[in-house]
Amino acid sequence: MTSTEAQPRQTPRARDSWLLIGGGVLLTVAGVLPHGARIVVLPALLLVPGYALLLLLGRPPSWRGLSIAVPVSLVMAMCASLLLDVLGIRLDAVSLGSTLGAGTLLFVAGAYALEASSARRRAPTDEEAPQAVASPGEG
Amino acid sequence: MSVATASSEGGRRGGFRPSNGTVSDLVGIGLVVAGAALVIWALRKATTGDSLRSYDPIFWAGMVLAYLTVIWRAMTGRFGVLWVGLLGLFTVLPKFWMSRIGPIYYDETAHWALLKGVVSHGRLFQATPLLPIGQAYPGMESVAATIHWVSGLSAWHSALLLIAVVHCLLPVQIYYIARALPISHRWAVVAAIVYAANPSFIYEDVMFAYETFAILLMLTIVRLYVEALADERDRSRTWRQSIAALLLIAVMSFGCVVTHHLTSLTGVVLLLVAAFTLRTRAPDSAEGVGLDEGPRSEQQTDSDARWRRLTVRWVPVATLAGFFGLWVALVVPETIPYLFPHVSRPFSGLLDLIGLGKGKSVFRTLFSRSTIPGYEHALALAAPCLVAVALSFAAVGWFMRWRRTRQARRDLLWAIILAAGYLVSLPITLLPEGAAGAHRTWASTFVGVTLLPATLAIVYAFEKRRLFVRRLTAVAGVLAVIALLIGNVAAGTPVDYRYPGPYEFGSDTRSVTSETLGLARWVRNHLPDQAHVVTDRFTAIALTDHSTAVTPLHVPGLPIGEIWYSPRPPTPTLLFTMQRHGDNYLAVDLRDGRYVPRLAELFIPGEPARVPRHNLTRLAHWPWLRLAYSSQHYRLYRINFNRYLLWYPFHANDVD
């Protein structure tokens, strides 16, 4: 997390996650969209994989993060191309779109899994629970 | 007093008055649009063949108007970073206007050929004779091709979109690097705008070439690294947060290494200097002093923090260097022999100049064939002097006034070292062997120059001076930025790379005429896909840009220049090699025998001044060449290698 970022509230974070999931789905289906309509996938291509990786690494989406998310998205596109090329799969809209979309959804799912795991670790034990409830100022 | 506090406090008392209104932003946008209109007007006038002196001032009026507007809005408005990004976007205009239908520079022609190969085959690691090493660095082409496939844009427009996004983000990354040092918003904006005045920014860093994309990745790595160090210094961090930052840097490092060799190397140097100079501890931190005195748990915490800080400081350097080493060792060992001459030749040239070498080297003459106006000459000479003066004052101030700046002195040292690296590279450009290599380091070393204004402001406490002095400093600073902008472009970019113009023999950008496009169209329609056409540099660029032809270059194993220059017929060795490579076609431009290329060579440096005219007309009489296409200046032949074998023994000693 960068030095000036504040932890966002839960609601914007949930909204951002839905945007990322929507972007991931859009990337996944890019290959089957009509050629002229594919331009709508462009913002998702430039932003979504990068923001999803940042979310996985503990950096919630922010305006400031835009200038990191875009280069990361471009590198994600590069990594997807290299991966497919090494596997001998022909590069095209279907293979790249689905790989990037799947990667995005995987990153978002991973971010939530990590968060759930952290929350479980932080969860109060039976003895601590009443004390935790009694702590003032939380919530 | 921390740097950030000093600067931000002073910033509020500075020569600029805050102007936050939407109206001001709208006026700013209007002024930038007016600047863009002036730039396009100048470029259109250039197309008509007017004198350079008639449109060059208009061009600079538009550019300066836009730069001044961005300085005003970014420093006083609410959306400073957006304005800095807008400047990056605005500065693609001149180059994009010239190359809106296709590549025009030699390097981007090579990368365009690579991109076309990737798109047509659906595979990476495509080859082009114009840039053999580019085959092993497919990063940029893979991203441009992905944009093409996923968005449905044409391949060339995908390339332009990628470069526009990259160029928009370059000054933004500089802004955030400065902010993380930490430098106040105002001086970080100054750093970003000074970066937009670097010698490569408006033309070279806008071309579709792998270093353009790699520079963004390298600056992003540096930004993430400097921010990670700042976070270690200013905030309490956990191992998990630090490792997340390192992983992100590793991802970007991999991308940078796969994209461009030299930028990865300069990135390693930048990180290395930063690792030695930037702090990860707050200046008043007592860590290390009382380690033995505290309770055991605190000792463990301190030890843990120290290990974490060491990890954050050194692992990114090792990661980028390690990825580069592995890529070179396992994928493309040719990188070393490719890069080595760029280091060894300038070095031996320097030794020759001071009398310690075996050869004889000479300096290039400044502006020897240039037609630029006098004010560009003057500013081109003034720009490095300005940097030298600023660096001298910054270095002296840094040494002499260390008490005032001791908390920030190591951070500022990073900038001073990089700026010194930039200045050292300037004389190397005067050596014929060193110009290309030195030029390519500027995008990295200029980062130091961008931080000099903030360094000067801190060590000389500009913000504490009287209002009159501050205003005078602000005006001088703005004038210095304008001088850097014009001077650096004039010194670093030839006129034919800056403006379109009428046909000029021997120019990469102005050799294409409607006749050339006719040849390319014929090749596209009548020759097989990827047909190999042996030709000179300028016809090769045109055919690569506008057809699917592959154009082999003159290399030691394939000395095709002999066909143009040798009085004897081409040797069997050459023809056998051509046959083995499938080089079945030969294209000549009859103007090769009439004119001398002024700006680049037809084949290799040191070639004879002019092609003997008869060497081109004799081709029509050789029976093993069958004329396939003919226009006023171009001839394209199909080579019959079997007939050559029968013909050559009787004509081996023919001398034309």
Side-chain angles (χ1 to χ4, degrees), chain B residues 485-511:
Chain B
L485 171 68
I486 300 175
N488 282 338
V489 168
T493 313
V495 171
D496 69 324
Y497 269 51
R498 289 166 51 190
Y499 294 112
Y503 174 80
E504 183 178 358
F505 180 79
S507 162
D508 287 345
T509 57
R510 297 181 183 177
S511 306

PDB file of all heavy atoms in Angstrom, chain B residues 485-511:
ATOM      1  N   LEU B 485      13.497  22.395 -23.198  1.00  0.00           N
ATOM      2  CA  LEU B 485      12.591  21.751 -24.160  1.00  0.00           C
ATOM      3  C   LEU B 485      13.077  21.967 -25.593  1.00  0.00           C
ATOM      4  O   LEU B 485      13.283  21.010 -26.357  1.00  0.00           O
ATOM      5  CB  LEU B 485      11.186  22.334 -23.968  1.00  0.00           C
ATOM      6  CG  LEU B 485      10.137  21.958 -25.000  1.00  0.00           C
ATOM      7  CD1 LEU B 485       9.808  20.492 -24.890  1.00  0.00           C
ATOM      8  CD2 LEU B 485       8.870  22.787 -24.817  1.00  0.00           C
ATOM      9  N   ILE B 486      13.280  23.235 -25.950  1.00  0.00           N
ATOM     10  CA  ILE B 486      13.658  23.537 -27.342  1.00  0.00           C
ATOM     11  C   ILE B 486      15.087  23.068 -27.620  1.00  0.00           C
ATOM     12  O   ILE B 486      15.363  22.434 -28.642  1.00  0.00           O
ATOM     13  CB  ILE B 486      13.511  25.046 -27.612  1.00  0.00           C
ATOM     14  CG1 ILE B 486      12.053  25.470 -27.388  1.00  0.00           C
ATOM     15  CG2 ILE B 486      13.957  25.392 -29.035  1.00  0.00           C
ATOM     16  CD1 ILE B 486      11.805  26.960 -27.507  1.00  0.00           C
ATOM     17  N   GLY B 487      15.985  23.355 -26.693  1.00  0.00           N
ATOM     18  CA  GLY B 487      17.392  23.007 -26.902  1.00  0.00           C
ATOM     19  C   GLY B 487      17.617  21.509 -27.006  1.00  0.00           C
ATOM     20  O   GLY B 487      18.356  21.040 -27.879  1.00  0.00           O
ATOM     21  N   ASN B 488      16.959  20.748 -26.136  1.00  0.00           N
ATOM     22  CA  ASN B 488      17.159  19.297 -26.159  1.00  0.00           C
ATOM     23  C   ASN B 488      16.628  18.672 -27.437  1.00  0.00           C
ATOM     24  O   ASN B 488      17.252  17.778 -28.013  1.00  0.00           O
ATOM     25  CB  ASN B 488      16.477  18.657 -24.948  1.00  0.00           C
ATOM     26  CG  ASN B 488      17.292  18.835 -23.686  1.00  0.00           C
ATOM     27  OD1 ASN B 488      18.506  19.057 -23.751  1.00  0.00           O
ATOM     28  ND2 ASN B 488      16.649  18.761 -22.544  1.00  0.00           N
ATOM     29  N   VAL B 489      15.461  19.144 -27.880  1.00  0.00           N
ATOM     30  CA  VAL B 489      14.909  18.596 -29.133  1.00  0.00           C
ATOM     31  C   VAL B 489      15.816  18.966 -30.303  1.00  0.00           C
ATOM     32  O   VAL B 489      16.136  18.134 -31.164  1.00  0.00           O
ATOM     33  CB  VAL B 489      13.471  19.104 -29.359  1.00  0.00           C
ATOM     34  CG1 VAL B 489      13.018  18.782 -30.773  1.00  0.00           C
ATOM     35  CG2 VAL B 489      12.528  18.478 -28.362  1.00  0.00           C
ATOM     36  N   ALA B 490      16.259  20.223 -30.322  1.00  0.00           N
ATOM     37  CA  ALA B 490      17.111  20.665 -31.438  1.00  0.00           C
ATOM     38  C   ALA B 490      18.411  19.872 -31.480  1.00  0.00           C
ATOM     39  O   ALA B 490      18.901  19.528 -32.554  1.00  0.00           O
ATOM     40  CB  ALA B 490      17.408  22.158 -31.293  1.00  0.00           C
ATOM     41  N   ALA B 491      18.961  19.574 -30.311  1.00  0.00           N
ATOM     42  CA  ALA B 491      20.247  18.864 -30.271  1.00  0.00           C
ATOM     43  C   ALA B 491      20.083  17.380 -30.539  1.00  0.00           C
ATOM     44  O   ALA B 491      20.967  16.746 -31.110  1.00  0.00           O
ATOM     45  CB  ALA B 491      20.896  19.065 -28.909  1.00  0.00           C
ATOM     46  N   GLY B 492      18.947  16.809 -30.135  1.00  0.00           N
ATOM     47  CA  GLY B 492      18.837  15.351 -30.144  1.00  0.00           C
ATOM     48  C   GLY B 492      18.128  14.751 -31.340  1.00  0.00           C
ATOM     49  O   GLY B 492      18.269  13.556 -31.594  1.00  0.00           O
ATOM     50  N   THR B 493      17.357  15.557 -32.081  1.00  0.00           N
ATOM     51  CA  THR B 493      16.530  14.976 -33.138  1.00  0.00           C
ATOM     52  C   THR B 493      16.761  15.701 -34.459  1.00  0.00           C
ATOM     53  O   THR B 493      16.610  16.926 -34.522  1.00  0.00           O
ATOM     54  CB  THR B 493      15.034  15.086 -32.761  1.00  0.00           C
ATOM     55  OG1 THR B 493      14.878  14.643 -31.414  1.00  0.00           O
ATOM     56  CG2 THR B 493      14.173  14.243 -33.666  1.00  0.00           C
ATOM     57  N   PRO B 494      17.114  14.975 -35.520  1.00  0.00           N
ATOM     58  CA  PRO B 494      17.301  15.633 -36.821  1.00  0.00           C
ATOM     59  C   PRO B 494      15.991  16.225 -37.338  1.00  0.00           C
ATOM     60  O   PRO B 494      14.911  15.744 -36.988  1.00  0.00           O
ATOM     61  CB  PRO B 494      17.783  14.508 -37.738  1.00  0.00           C
ATOM     62  CG  PRO B 494      17.870  13.288 -36.931  1.00  0.00           C
ATOM     63  CD  PRO B 494      17.334  13.542 -35.575  1.00  0.00           C
ATOM     64  N   VAL B 495      16.120  17.240 -38.167  1.00  0.00           N
ATOM     65  CA  VAL B 495      14.925  17.956 -38.636  1.00  0.00           C
ATOM     66  C   VAL B 495      13.974  17.034 -39.383  1.00  0.00           C
ATOM     67  O   VAL B 495      12.750  17.124 -39.242  1.00  0.00           O
ATOM     68  CB  VAL B 495      15.347  19.147 -39.520  1.00  0.00           C
ATOM     69  CG1 VAL B 495      14.132  19.768 -40.196  1.00  0.00           C
ATOM     70  CG2 VAL B 495      16.043  20.203 -38.683  1.00  0.00           C
ATOM     71  N   ASP B 496      14.508  16.089 -40.162  1.00  0.00           N
ATOM     72  CA  ASP B 496      13.591  15.236 -40.935  1.00  0.00           C
ATOM     73  C   ASP B 496      12.846  14.246 -40.049  1.00  0.00           C
ATOM     74  O   ASP B 496      11.872  13.645 -40.493  1.00  0.00           O
ATOM     75  CB  ASP B 496      14.336  14.511 -42.064  1.00  0.00           C
ATOM     76  CG  ASP B 496      15.299  13.472 -41.549  1.00  0.00           C
ATOM     77  OD1 ASP B 496      15.907  13.722 -40.491  1.00  0.00           O
ATOM     78  OD2 ASP B 496      15.455  12.424 -42.184  1.00  0.00           O
ATOM     79  N   TYR B 497      13.299  14.052 -38.820  1.00  0.00           N
ATOM     80  CA  TYR B 497      12.543  13.240 -37.871  1.00  0.00           C
ATOM     81  C   TYR B 497      11.508  14.088 -37.128  1.00  0.00           C
ATOM     82  O   TYR B 497      10.624  13.551 -36.474  1.00  0.00           O
ATOM     83  CB  TYR B 497      13.484  12.584 -36.856  1.00  0.00           C
ATOM     84  CG  TYR B 497      13.979  11.210 -37.258  1.00  0.00           C
ATOM     85  CD1 TYR B 497      14.549  10.994 -38.503  1.00  0.00           C
ATOM     86  CD2 TYR B 497      13.868  10.122 -36.403  1.00  0.00           C
ATOM     87  CE1 TYR B 497      15.000   9.741 -38.881  1.00  0.00           C
ATOM     88  CE2 TYR B 497      14.316   8.862 -36.767  1.00  0.00           C
ATOM     89  CZ  TYR B 497      14.873   8.678 -38.009  1.00  0.00           C
ATOM     90  OH  TYR B 497      15.307   7.429 -38.375  1.00  0.00           O
ATOM     91  N   ARG B 498      11.640  15.414 -37.220  1.00  0.00           N
ATOM     92  CA  ARG B 498      10.739  16.300 -36.471  1.00  0.00           C
ATOM     93  C   ARG B 498       9.579  16.805 -37.317  1.00  0.00           C
ATOM     94  O   ARG B 498       8.500  17.050 -36.791  1.00  0.00           O
ATOM     95  CB  ARG B 498      11.537  17.505 -35.940  1.00  0.00           C
ATOM     96  CG  ARG B 498      12.477  17.157 -34.828  1.00  0.00           C
ATOM     97  CD  ARG B 498      13.475  18.270 -34.569  1.00  0.00           C
ATOM     98  NE  ARG B 498      12.853  19.553 -34.415  1.00  0.00           N
ATOM     99  CZ  ARG B 498      13.520  20.704 -34.380  1.00  0.00           C
ATOM    100  NH1 ARG B 498      14.836  20.703 -34.472  1.00  0.00           N
ATOM    101  NH2 ARG B 498      12.880  21.823 -34.229  1.00  0.00           N
ATOM    102  N   TYR B 499       9.837  17.015 -38.592  1.00  0.00           N
ATOM    103  CA  TYR B 499       8.801  17.602 -39.445  1.00  0.00           C
ATOM    104  C   TYR B 499       8.635  16.761 -40.706  1.00  0.00           C
ATOM    105  O   TYR B 499       9.611  16.234 -41.240  1.00  0.00           O
ATOM    106  CB  TYR B 499       9.203  19.017 -39.864  1.00  0.00           C
ATOM    107  CG  TYR B 499       9.261  20.008 -38.735  1.00  0.00           C
ATOM    108  CD1 TYR B 499      10.482  20.540 -38.325  1.00  0.00           C
ATOM    109  CD2 TYR B 499       8.101  20.415 -38.087  1.00  0.00           C
ATOM    110  CE1 TYR B 499      10.544  21.462 -37.282  1.00  0.00           C
ATOM    111  CE2 TYR B 499       8.155  21.331 -37.047  1.00  0.00           C
ATOM    112  CZ  TYR B 499       9.380  21.851 -36.650  1.00  0.00           C
ATOM    113  OH  TYR B 499       9.435  22.744 -35.628  1.00  0.00           O
ATOM    114  N   PRO B 500       7.406  16.668 -41.191  1.00  0.00           N
ATOM    115  CA  PRO B 500       7.242  16.072 -42.512  1.00  0.00           C
ATOM    116  C   PRO B 500       7.767  17.045 -43.562  1.00  0.00           C
ATOM    117  O   PRO B 500       8.050  18.202 -43.259  1.00  0.00           O
ATOM    118  CB  PRO B 500       5.717  15.911 -42.616  1.00  0.00           C
ATOM    119  CG  PRO B 500       5.160  16.955 -41.716  1.00  0.00           C
ATOM    120  CD  PRO B 500       6.157  17.173 -40.619  1.00  0.00           C
ATOM    121  N   GLY B 501       7.897  16.581 -44.771  1.00  0.00           N
ATOM    122  CA  GLY B 501       8.401  17.492 -45.803  1.00  0.00           C
ATOM    123  C   GLY B 501       8.407  16.825 -47.153  1.00  0.00           C
ATOM    124  O   GLY B 501       8.042  15.644 -47.268  1.00  0.00           O
ATOM    125  N   PRO B 502       8.801  17.559 -48.174  1.00  0.00           N
ATOM    126  CA  PRO B 502       8.847  16.990 -49.517  1.00  0.00           C
ATOM    127  C   PRO B 502       9.915  15.909 -49.609  1.00  0.00           C
ATOM    128  O   PRO B 502      10.762  15.785 -48.714  1.00  0.00           O
ATOM    129  CB  PRO B 502       9.201  18.188 -50.399  1.00  0.00           C
ATOM    130  CG  PRO B 502       9.827  19.170 -49.487  1.00  0.00           C
ATOM    131  CD  PRO B 502       9.247  18.953 -48.136  1.00  0.00           C
ATOM    132  N   TYR B 503       9.888  15.176 -50.715  1.00  0.00           N
ATOM    133  CA  TYR B 503      10.833  14.065 -50.897  1.00  0.00           C
ATOM    134  C   TYR B 503      12.273  14.521 -50.689  1.00  0.00           C
ATOM    135  O   TYR B 503      12.687  15.580 -51.161  1.00  0.00           O
ATOM    136  CB  TYR B 503      10.682  13.485 -52.309  1.00  0.00           C
ATOM    137  CG  TYR B 503      11.728  12.439 -52.612  1.00  0.00           C
ATOM    138  CD1 TYR B 503      11.581  11.142 -52.140  1.00  0.00           C
ATOM    139  CD2 TYR B 503      12.879  12.762 -53.338  1.00  0.00           C
ATOM    140  CE1 TYR B 503      12.547  10.187 -52.390  1.00  0.00           C
ATOM    141  CE2 TYR B 503      13.844  11.803 -53.595  1.00  0.00           C
ATOM    142  CZ  TYR B 503      13.678  10.510 -53.119  1.00  0.00           C
ATOM    143  OH  TYR B 503      14.627   9.569 -53.360  1.00  0.00           O
ATOM    144  N   GLU B 504      13.027  13.703 -49.959  1.00  0.00           N
ATOM    145  CA  GLU B 504      14.446  13.992 -49.747  1.00  0.00           C
ATOM    146  C   GLU B 504      15.202  12.676 -49.844  1.00  0.00           C
ATOM    147  O   GLU B 504      14.964  11.765 -49.034  1.00  0.00           O
ATOM    148  CB  GLU B 504      14.641  14.634 -48.371  1.00  0.00           C
ATOM    149  CG  GLU B 504      16.074  15.038 -48.112  1.00  0.00           C
ATOM    150  CD  GLU B 504      16.254  15.712 -46.752  1.00  0.00           C
ATOM    151  OE1 GLU B 504      15.244  15.894 -46.034  1.00  0.00           O
ATOM    152  OE2 GLU B 504      17.399  16.029 -46.418  1.00  0.00           O
ATOM    153  N   PHE B 505      16.082  12.574 -50.793  1.00  0.00           N
ATOM    154  CA  PHE B 505      16.827  11.325 -50.966  1.00  0.00           C
ATOM    155  C   PHE B 505      17.697  11.071 -49.729  1.00  0.00           C
ATOM    156  O   PHE B 505      18.378  11.971 -49.245  1.00  0.00           O
ATOM    157  CB  PHE B 505      17.717  11.398 -52.209  1.00  0.00           C
ATOM    158  CG  PHE B 505      18.505  10.142 -52.430  1.00  0.00           C
ATOM    159  CD1 PHE B 505      17.906   9.023 -53.002  1.00  0.00           C
ATOM    160  CD2 PHE B 505      19.837  10.057 -52.046  1.00  0.00           C
ATOM    161  CE1 PHE B 505      18.618   7.858 -53.189  1.00  0.00           C
ATOM    162  CE2 PHE B 505      20.551   8.887 -52.234  1.00  0.00           C
ATOM    163  CZ  PHE B 505      19.944   7.787 -52.803  1.00  0.00           C
ATOM    164  N   GLY B 506      17.654   9.856 -49.223  1.00  0.00           N
ATOM    165  CA  GLY B 506      18.508   9.499 -48.099  1.00  0.00           C
ATOM    166  C   GLY B 506      17.933   9.852 -46.747  1.00  0.00           C
ATOM    167  O   GLY B 506      18.658   9.870 -45.756  1.00  0.00           O
ATOM    168  N   SER B 507      16.645  10.114 -46.694  1.00  0.00           N
ATOM    169  CA  SER B 507      16.012  10.383 -45.404  1.00  0.00           C
ATOM    170  C   SER B 507      15.072   9.237 -45.060  1.00  0.00           C
ATOM    171  O   SER B 507      14.290   8.795 -45.905  1.00  0.00           O
ATOM    172  CB  SER B 507      15.232  11.704 -45.483  1.00  0.00           C
ATOM    173  OG  SER B 507      14.304  11.777 -44.423  1.00  0.00           O
ATOM    174  N   ASP B 508      15.152   8.743 -43.811  1.00  0.00           N
ATOM    175  CA  ASP B 508      14.261   7.654 -43.402  1.00  0.00           C
ATOM    176  C   ASP B 508      12.797   8.060 -43.521  1.00  0.00           C
ATOM    177  O   ASP B 508      11.935   7.247 -43.838  1.00  0.00           O
ATOM    178  CB  ASP B 508      14.528   7.275 -41.941  1.00  0.00           C
ATOM    179  CG  ASP B 508      15.843   6.533 -41.785  1.00  0.00           C
ATOM    180  OD1 ASP B 508      16.385   6.069 -42.796  1.00  0.00           O
ATOM    181  OD2 ASP B 508      16.334   6.433 -40.640  1.00  0.00           O
ATOM    182  N   THR B 509      12.525   9.320 -43.209  1.00  0.00           N
ATOM    183  CA  THR B 509      11.136   9.748 -43.062  1.00  0.00           C
ATOM    184  C   THR B 509      10.560  10.396 -44.314  1.00  0.00           C
ATOM    185  O   THR B 509       9.351  10.550 -44.416  1.00  0.00           O
ATOM    186  CB  THR B 509      11.026  10.760 -41.911  1.00  0.00           C
ATOM    187  OG1 THR B 509      11.913  11.838 -42.198  1.00  0.00           O
ATOM    188  CG2 THR B 509      11.404  10.149 -40.589  1.00  0.00           C
ATOM    189  N   ARG B 510      11.429  10.823 -45.240  1.00  0.00           N
ATOM    190  CA  ARG B 510      10.916  11.579 -46.392  1.00  0.00           C
ATOM    191  C   ARG B 510      11.216  10.901 -47.732  1.00  0.00           C
ATOM    192  O   ARG B 510      11.210  11.550 -48.768  1.00  0.00           O
ATOM    193  CB  ARG B 510      11.520  12.986 -46.393  1.00  0.00           C
ATOM    194  CG  ARG B 510      11.124  13.799 -45.169  1.00  0.00           C
ATOM    195  CD  ARG B 510      11.712  15.179 -45.236  1.00  0.00           C
ATOM    196  NE  ARG B 510      11.401  15.959 -44.049  1.00  0.00           N
ATOM    197  CZ  ARG B 510      11.863  17.188 -43.840  1.00  0.00           C
ATOM    198  NH1 ARG B 510      12.646  17.761 -44.733  1.00  0.00           N
ATOM    199  NH2 ARG B 510      11.549  17.843 -42.737  1.00  0.00           N
ATOM    200  N   SER B 511      11.537   9.612 -47.676  1.00  0.00           N
ATOM    201  CA  SER B 511      11.882   8.923 -48.932  1.00  0.00           C
ATOM    202  C   SER B 511      10.673   8.349 -49.636  1.00  0.00           C
ATOM    203  O   SER B 511      10.793   7.857 -50.756  1.00  0.00           O
ATOM    204  CB  SER B 511      12.849   7.771 -48.648  1.00  0.00           C
ATOM    205  OG  SER B 511      13.936   8.223 -47.946  1.00  0.00           O
TER     206      SER B 511
END
